[in-house]
Amino acid sequence: MKILLADAIFTDGTIYRNHGIVFDKTIIEVSSNDELRSRYGAQCVELGEGSVILPGLVNAHVHLEFSANRTTLTYGEFMPWLSSVIASRDELINECDDECTTRAVEMMLSNGITAFGAVSSYGFDLDPCFKASQKVVYFNELIGSDPAMADALYANFQERLFASQELKRSGFYPSIAIHSPYSVHRILIQKALKHAKEKDLRVTAHFMESPAEREWLDTDSGPFRPFFENFLKQTRAANTAEEFLSYFKEIPTLFTHAVQASHDELSVIAQNGHSIIHCPISNRLLGNGVLDLKPLEDKNIPLLCGTDGLSSNYTLDLFEEMKIALFMHPHDDLLSLSQKLWRGVTSLAAAALKLNCGKIMSGYDADILVMRVNYPINGQLPLHLINQKGIIESIYIEGERVK
Amino acid sequence: MKILLADAIFTDGTIYRNHGIVFDKTIIEVSSNDELRSRYGAQCVELGEGSVILPGLVNAHVHLEFSANRTTLTYGEFMPWLSSVIASRDELINECDDECTTRAVEMMLSNGITAFGAVSSYGFDLDPCFKASQKVVYFNELIGSDPAMADALYANFQERLFASQELKRSGFYPSIAIHSPYSVHRILIQKALKHAKEKDLRVTAHFMESPAEREWLDTDSGPFRPFFENFLKQTRAANTAEEFLSYFKEIPTLFTHAVQASHDELSVIAQNGHSIIHCPISNRLLGNGVLDLKPLEDKNIPLLCGTDGLSSNYTLDLFEEMKIALFMHPHDDLLSLSQKLWRGVTSLAAAALKLNCGKIMSGYDADILVMRVNYPINGQLPLHLINQKGIIESIYIEGERVK
């Protein structure tokens, strides 16, 4: 059992000054420092001035297999980026061996990310994810819109899923990703989701990332048309957005991006208990626009915040992602948005991924950051922690110190 | 004479691969590495792969006297921020002794800022600015809207100006700042600007920072009204925006913020050869909105980029400021905006401050950064340098190595 007394605990929107935490694998108690001192005496570790205890951060959406990218991919607009991905895919994938993937996993840990949802296209990141210190929701991704290839693609997907299911450790959750409405055949989606429902697997999908996707799904036209004609001899989108969302009925899903989603689509997302993962840096670098946060708030859709992968980001750091979000939404109230973003990388992200973490509260897993700030703590701490990050002094996952 | 051969030189919108530079106090020549090797042989210093030579950065607008702030001031909206400044001003100013100011100056240097425009309200930053390694345009600020206090305020301003003019060194330029349209009496402005014109001094001013300023200047109402009534017994704005701008006719001025400026005001700014300093981080943290870049481009107004001070920023780093600008203008073309921002912290900023730097070109002062990037250099370098900053290996100011 460990007892840490801090200058502040910040969890789920509230700052508790002069509070401490008692934990082993899970959190046993959160109380005032005075109370804990009187009960536990010398067992207490005094963290002192400027210490802040936070829940470990939860990165709901990351692609690790493209972690070799630094300047290979073309930024600015979605279609040139996608073309550059296709042109350099083999090279980038080959360059990202286990060591490269592990560096990305460790980059996340050093930035306080104690749980992540990894979207795996090939399964090449399976071993580093299994060996990671973090909680990992390992999303095996299903992709393929060509009916002629359906069986082979599903078999490959199943093989990867089964391989991940054979690996057992606490905090490792084999799961399912459906790539996107434009890239997966309905038969495949329905088959995979039936399996997810039967086995109670977690599910994620990309949805309405780019203007090009909107145009292609709505009208079978736009810059995606030559792309599909050239690569796959397709002249019609694999699904409409409406059809696509309908498959996920009764399966609460983490939809990534949704920048171009319509109000009707957001209503469907709300009604079905889905959540949305906001990746502001990726959205900007790929020219996809800015997610409008207002309708999400109006419809009570949980807003998570993710880093996406190094194919569309310069780092894997939710502090940086939150900071960028503050500036990409310059008309939203600064403090309220800070609080929203904090929930989106802690309690709400953990809930959407069905993880027992993301809150400093008795009964939750002891996934904990101890940070040190060199400035006076006040009511604007949620904002200051984003802009003036401070030092992550130690990290605990399920009570074990991992940093 | 020094000769540096680099992987790339990036200056004023152009990337020169495999080029080098010959300089002493000023830049003598920029040529291909092969050419320089053949002429100078062993005198050449080979910087090798990933080396990038850039002009030193020019921070057109910084307040140093509030550098003690970390979390004292209230962020989110302009008026609560201003109230917090007034409440904590004495404490913050007292906390920022020469050591504190020098730390801020060194923070700028370590971030590659080799020239800056310091807006000085009290003259307390004079000595550290004079002793700085950088080029300094030292803007003595005139403030005061109360006619009864006019003579005393002008005398104080003059005293500070004269004190700065007594200090002589290469690269130190005593200059004039007019605080803002709402805070300076017209008689004082005209007197100071007459002096600036006679002595050919550089001039800067804040202009149209907040919605509150817009409302007060246009209609003598809004949140500034109780502020002026309570503090200064004033019920009318000191100037209209139009009057204010008219005083600066024939004096090319650096106007800071202009977020709330109208198209007509921007036309006046364009016609008079003024420039605009964009401080995106400060604008966001104080809730002032986002500068619309389009009309500036349409009207050919030079766009500079500044950090403002630590009273409304978490760092003094133009790389950070450029990065934030990329994300605060998410609908602008990513690469073009990167190029615009680079010009705004180098060539255009130097030109507006009448400094002979900001370009890697023969005849310009040898104010030079040598950076090292750990990724392949390509046409998107201006963007990558902002997002993946790299290491500043060495800094030269007027040919002297200062880092």
Side-chain angles (χ1 to χ4, degrees), chain A residues 53-75:
Chain A
I53 294 179
L54 298 158
L57 306 188
V58 181
N59 186 9
H61 186 87
V62 63
H63 299 265
L64 290 168
E65 288 162 314
F66 287 89
S67 297
N69 178 58
R70 296 301 302 277
T71 63
T72 305
L73 302 176
T74 304
Y75 288 159

mmCIF file of all heavy atoms in Angstrom, chain A residues 53-75:
data_model
loop_
_atom_site.group_PDB
_atom_site.id
_atom_site.type_symbol
_atom_site.label_atom_id
_atom_site.label_comp_id
_atom_site.label_asym_id
_atom_site.label_seq_id
_atom_site.Cartn_x
_atom_site.Cartn_y
_atom_site.Cartn_z
ATOM 1 N N ILE A 53 -1.284 15.405 -8.361
ATOM 2 C CA ILE A 53 -1.622 14.027 -8.745
ATOM 3 C C ILE A 53 -2.772 14.070 -9.743
ATOM 4 O O ILE A 53 -3.786 14.743 -9.528
ATOM 5 C CB ILE A 53 -1.996 13.178 -7.514
ATOM 6 C CG1 ILE A 53 -0.764 13.003 -6.614
ATOM 7 C CG2 ILE A 53 -2.559 11.831 -7.928
ATOM 8 C CD1 ILE A 53 -1.036 12.204 -5.347
ATOM 9 N N LEU A 54 -2.567 13.355 -10.841
ATOM 10 C CA LEU A 54 -3.562 13.302 -11.909
ATOM 11 C C LEU A 54 -3.797 11.853 -12.295
ATOM 12 O O LEU A 54 -2.896 11.022 -12.131
ATOM 13 C CB LEU A 54 -3.012 13.968 -13.174
ATOM 14 C CG LEU A 54 -2.646 15.427 -13.183
ATOM 15 C CD1 LEU A 54 -1.666 15.697 -14.306
ATOM 16 C CD2 LEU A 54 -3.910 16.234 -13.381
ATOM 17 N N PRO A 55 -4.961 11.552 -12.874
ATOM 18 C CA PRO A 55 -5.098 10.222 -13.470
ATOM 19 C C PRO A 55 -4.157 10.102 -14.667
ATOM 20 O O PRO A 55 -3.928 11.098 -15.374
ATOM 21 C CB PRO A 55 -6.553 10.170 -13.942
ATOM 22 C CG PRO A 55 -7.158 11.494 -13.664
ATOM 23 C CD PRO A 55 -6.134 12.406 -13.077
ATOM 24 N N GLY A 56 -3.609 8.941 -14.909
ATOM 25 C CA GLY A 56 -2.840 8.709 -16.134
ATOM 26 C C GLY A 56 -3.706 9.027 -17.342
ATOM 27 O O GLY A 56 -4.928 8.849 -17.308
ATOM 28 N N LEU A 57 -3.081 9.518 -18.405
ATOM 29 C CA LEU A 57 -3.859 9.943 -19.573
ATOM 30 C C LEU A 57 -4.201 8.757 -20.481
ATOM 31 O O LEU A 57 -3.439 7.793 -20.568
ATOM 32 C CB LEU A 57 -3.089 10.991 -20.357
ATOM 33 C CG LEU A 57 -2.623 12.206 -19.550
ATOM 34 C CD1 LEU A 57 -2.051 13.268 -20.475
ATOM 35 C CD2 LEU A 57 -3.740 12.791 -18.702
ATOM 36 N N VAL A 58 -5.331 8.873 -21.133
ATOM 37 C CA VAL A 58 -5.831 7.808 -21.999
ATOM 38 C C VAL A 58 -5.902 8.334 -23.432
ATOM 39 O O VAL A 58 -6.665 9.253 -23.725
ATOM 40 C CB VAL A 58 -7.231 7.346 -21.539
ATOM 41 C CG1 VAL A 58 -7.732 6.213 -22.424
ATOM 42 C CG2 VAL A 58 -7.206 6.931 -20.061
ATOM 43 N N ASN A 59 -5.072 7.779 -24.299
ATOM 44 C CA ASN A 59 -5.033 8.189 -25.708
ATOM 45 C C ASN A 59 -5.920 7.238 -26.497
ATOM 46 O O ASN A 59 -5.537 6.115 -26.798
ATOM 47 C CB ASN A 59 -3.585 8.116 -26.210
ATOM 48 C CG ASN A 59 -3.436 8.654 -27.609
ATOM 49 O OD1 ASN A 59 -4.363 9.244 -28.168
ATOM 50 N ND2 ASN A 59 -2.265 8.465 -28.187
ATOM 51 N N ALA A 60 -7.099 7.712 -26.850
ATOM 52 C CA ALA A 60 -8.113 6.810 -27.391
ATOM 53 C C ALA A 60 -7.824 6.347 -28.811
ATOM 54 O O ALA A 60 -8.427 5.374 -29.278
ATOM 55 C CB ALA A 60 -9.485 7.492 -27.325
ATOM 56 N N HIS A 61 -6.918 7.036 -29.518
ATOM 57 C CA HIS A 61 -6.724 6.694 -30.928
ATOM 58 C C HIS A 61 -5.301 6.957 -31.390
ATOM 59 O O HIS A 61 -4.871 8.104 -31.490
ATOM 60 C CB HIS A 61 -7.693 7.522 -31.792
ATOM 61 C CG HIS A 61 -7.681 7.155 -33.248
ATOM 62 N ND1 HIS A 61 -8.464 6.154 -33.776
ATOM 63 C CD2 HIS A 61 -6.977 7.651 -34.304
ATOM 64 C CE1 HIS A 61 -8.261 6.054 -35.077
ATOM 65 N NE2 HIS A 61 -7.359 6.956 -35.427
ATOM 66 N N VAL A 62 -4.587 5.876 -31.672
ATOM 67 C CA VAL A 62 -3.222 6.046 -32.200
ATOM 68 C C VAL A 62 -2.928 4.920 -33.198
ATOM 69 O O VAL A 62 -3.318 3.772 -32.994
ATOM 70 C CB VAL A 62 -2.180 6.084 -31.047
ATOM 71 C CG1 VAL A 62 -2.145 4.761 -30.270
ATOM 72 C CG2 VAL A 62 -0.789 6.441 -31.555
ATOM 73 N N HIS A 63 -2.267 5.279 -34.301
ATOM 74 C CA HIS A 63 -1.740 4.284 -35.239
ATOM 75 C C HIS A 63 -0.245 4.181 -34.965
ATOM 76 O O HIS A 63 0.462 5.178 -35.082
ATOM 77 C CB HIS A 63 -1.923 4.737 -36.693
ATOM 78 C CG HIS A 63 -3.341 4.933 -37.099
ATOM 79 N ND1 HIS A 63 -4.079 3.956 -37.724
ATOM 80 C CD2 HIS A 63 -4.170 5.998 -36.966
ATOM 81 C CE1 HIS A 63 -5.297 4.417 -37.974
ATOM 82 N NE2 HIS A 63 -5.377 5.660 -37.527
ATOM 83 N N LEU A 64 0.231 3.018 -34.618
ATOM 84 C CA LEU A 64 1.657 2.879 -34.293
ATOM 85 C C LEU A 64 2.503 2.398 -35.460
ATOM 86 O O LEU A 64 3.711 2.609 -35.485
ATOM 87 C CB LEU A 64 1.819 1.932 -33.101
ATOM 88 C CG LEU A 64 1.324 2.509 -31.771
ATOM 89 C CD1 LEU A 64 1.241 1.424 -30.702
ATOM 90 C CD2 LEU A 64 2.208 3.662 -31.304
ATOM 91 N N GLU A 65 1.852 1.758 -36.433
ATOM 92 C CA GLU A 65 2.641 1.116 -37.493
ATOM 93 C C GLU A 65 3.298 2.119 -38.450
ATOM 94 O O GLU A 65 4.163 1.754 -39.230
ATOM 95 C CB GLU A 65 1.761 0.132 -38.275
ATOM 96 C CG GLU A 65 1.451 -1.106 -37.439
ATOM 97 C CD GLU A 65 0.259 -1.887 -37.974
ATOM 98 O OE1 GLU A 65 -0.766 -1.258 -38.299
ATOM 99 O OE2 GLU A 65 0.347 -3.119 -38.043
ATOM 100 N N PHE A 66 2.875 3.384 -38.379
ATOM 101 C CA PHE A 66 3.480 4.407 -39.239
ATOM 102 C C PHE A 66 4.424 5.329 -38.454
ATOM 103 O O PHE A 66 4.691 6.445 -38.854
ATOM 104 C CB PHE A 66 2.391 5.218 -39.943
ATOM 105 C CG PHE A 66 1.702 4.442 -41.028
ATOM 106 C CD1 PHE A 66 0.586 3.673 -40.749
ATOM 107 C CD2 PHE A 66 2.208 4.445 -42.316
ATOM 108 C CE1 PHE A 66 -0.028 2.921 -41.739
ATOM 109 C CE2 PHE A 66 1.600 3.705 -43.324
ATOM 110 C CZ PHE A 66 0.479 2.938 -43.031
ATOM 111 N N SER A 67 4.915 4.826 -37.334
ATOM 112 C CA SER A 67 5.738 5.661 -36.447
ATOM 113 C C SER A 67 7.079 6.039 -37.049
ATOM 114 O O SER A 67 7.783 6.889 -36.509
ATOM 115 C CB SER A 67 5.960 4.957 -35.103
ATOM 116 O OG SER A 67 4.731 4.774 -34.446
ATOM 117 N N ALA A 68 7.458 5.431 -38.174
ATOM 118 C CA ALA A 68 8.739 5.791 -38.801
ATOM 119 C C ALA A 68 8.657 7.136 -39.526
ATOM 120 O O ALA A 68 9.671 7.720 -39.871
ATOM 121 C CB ALA A 68 9.180 4.712 -39.776
ATOM 122 N N ASN A 69 7.438 7.618 -39.772
ATOM 123 C CA ASN A 69 7.327 8.869 -40.530
ATOM 124 C C ASN A 69 7.868 10.071 -39.760
ATOM 125 O O ASN A 69 7.585 10.254 -38.591
ATOM 126 C CB ASN A 69 5.860 9.158 -40.877
ATOM 127 C CG ASN A 69 5.710 10.475 -41.613
ATOM 128 O OD1 ASN A 69 6.308 10.665 -42.668
ATOM 129 N ND2 ASN A 69 4.954 11.402 -41.028
ATOM 130 N N ARG A 70 8.665 10.872 -40.426
ATOM 131 C CA ARG A 70 9.036 12.193 -39.907
ATOM 132 C C ARG A 70 8.658 13.254 -40.952
ATOM 133 O O ARG A 70 7.896 14.166 -40.649
ATOM 134 C CB ARG A 70 10.543 12.295 -39.592
ATOM 135 C CG ARG A 70 11.032 11.361 -38.486
ATOM 136 C CD ARG A 70 10.333 11.569 -37.139
ATOM 137 N NE ARG A 70 10.466 12.920 -36.621
ATOM 138 C CZ ARG A 70 11.497 13.379 -35.939
ATOM 139 N NH1 ARG A 70 12.517 12.588 -35.688
ATOM 140 N NH2 ARG A 70 11.527 14.621 -35.480
ATOM 141 N N THR A 71 9.198 13.124 -42.159
ATOM 142 C CA THR A 71 8.870 14.113 -43.198
ATOM 143 C C THR A 71 8.512 13.447 -44.522
ATOM 144 O O THR A 71 8.470 14.100 -45.550
ATOM 145 C CB THR A 71 10.075 15.069 -43.432
ATOM 146 O OG1 THR A 71 11.194 14.322 -43.918
ATOM 147 C CG2 THR A 71 10.474 15.797 -42.168
ATOM 148 N N THR A 72 8.258 12.145 -44.476
ATOM 149 C CA THR A 72 7.970 11.426 -45.722
ATOM 150 C C THR A 72 6.610 11.806 -46.299
ATOM 151 O O THR A 72 6.455 11.928 -47.511
ATOM 152 C CB THR A 72 7.994 9.892 -45.459
ATOM 153 O OG1 THR A 72 9.247 9.560 -44.874
ATOM 154 C CG2 THR A 72 7.773 9.107 -46.733
ATOM 155 N N LEU A 73 5.638 11.970 -45.430
ATOM 156 C CA LEU A 73 4.265 12.184 -45.915
ATOM 157 C C LEU A 73 3.985 13.659 -46.175
ATOM 158 O O LEU A 73 4.561 14.537 -45.525
ATOM 159 C CB LEU A 73 3.278 11.584 -44.917
ATOM 160 C CG LEU A 73 3.500 10.081 -44.669
ATOM 161 C CD1 LEU A 73 2.573 9.554 -43.596
ATOM 162 C CD2 LEU A 73 3.334 9.287 -45.971
ATOM 163 N N THR A 74 3.116 13.900 -47.148
ATOM 164 C CA THR A 74 2.829 15.253 -47.610
ATOM 165 C C THR A 74 1.671 15.844 -46.812
ATOM 166 O O THR A 74 0.556 15.326 -46.847
ATOM 167 C CB THR A 74 2.440 15.212 -49.106
ATOM 168 O OG1 THR A 74 3.501 14.576 -49.813
ATOM 169 C CG2 THR A 74 2.209 16.606 -49.648
ATOM 170 N N TYR A 75 1.939 16.926 -46.104
ATOM 171 C CA TYR A 75 0.884 17.540 -45.303
ATOM 172 C C TYR A 75 0.215 18.709 -46.034
ATOM 173 O O TYR A 75 0.790 19.266 -46.957
ATOM 174 C CB TYR A 75 1.480 18.060 -43.979
ATOM 175 C CG TYR A 75 1.868 16.969 -43.004
ATOM 176 C CD1 TYR A 75 2.793 17.212 -41.990
ATOM 177 C CD2 TYR A 75 1.292 15.698 -43.076
ATOM 178 C CE1 TYR A 75 3.160 16.222 -41.086
ATOM 179 C CE2 TYR A 75 1.648 14.710 -42.164
ATOM 180 C CZ TYR A 75 2.575 14.972 -41.179
ATOM 181 O OH TYR A 75 2.917 14.001 -40.277
#
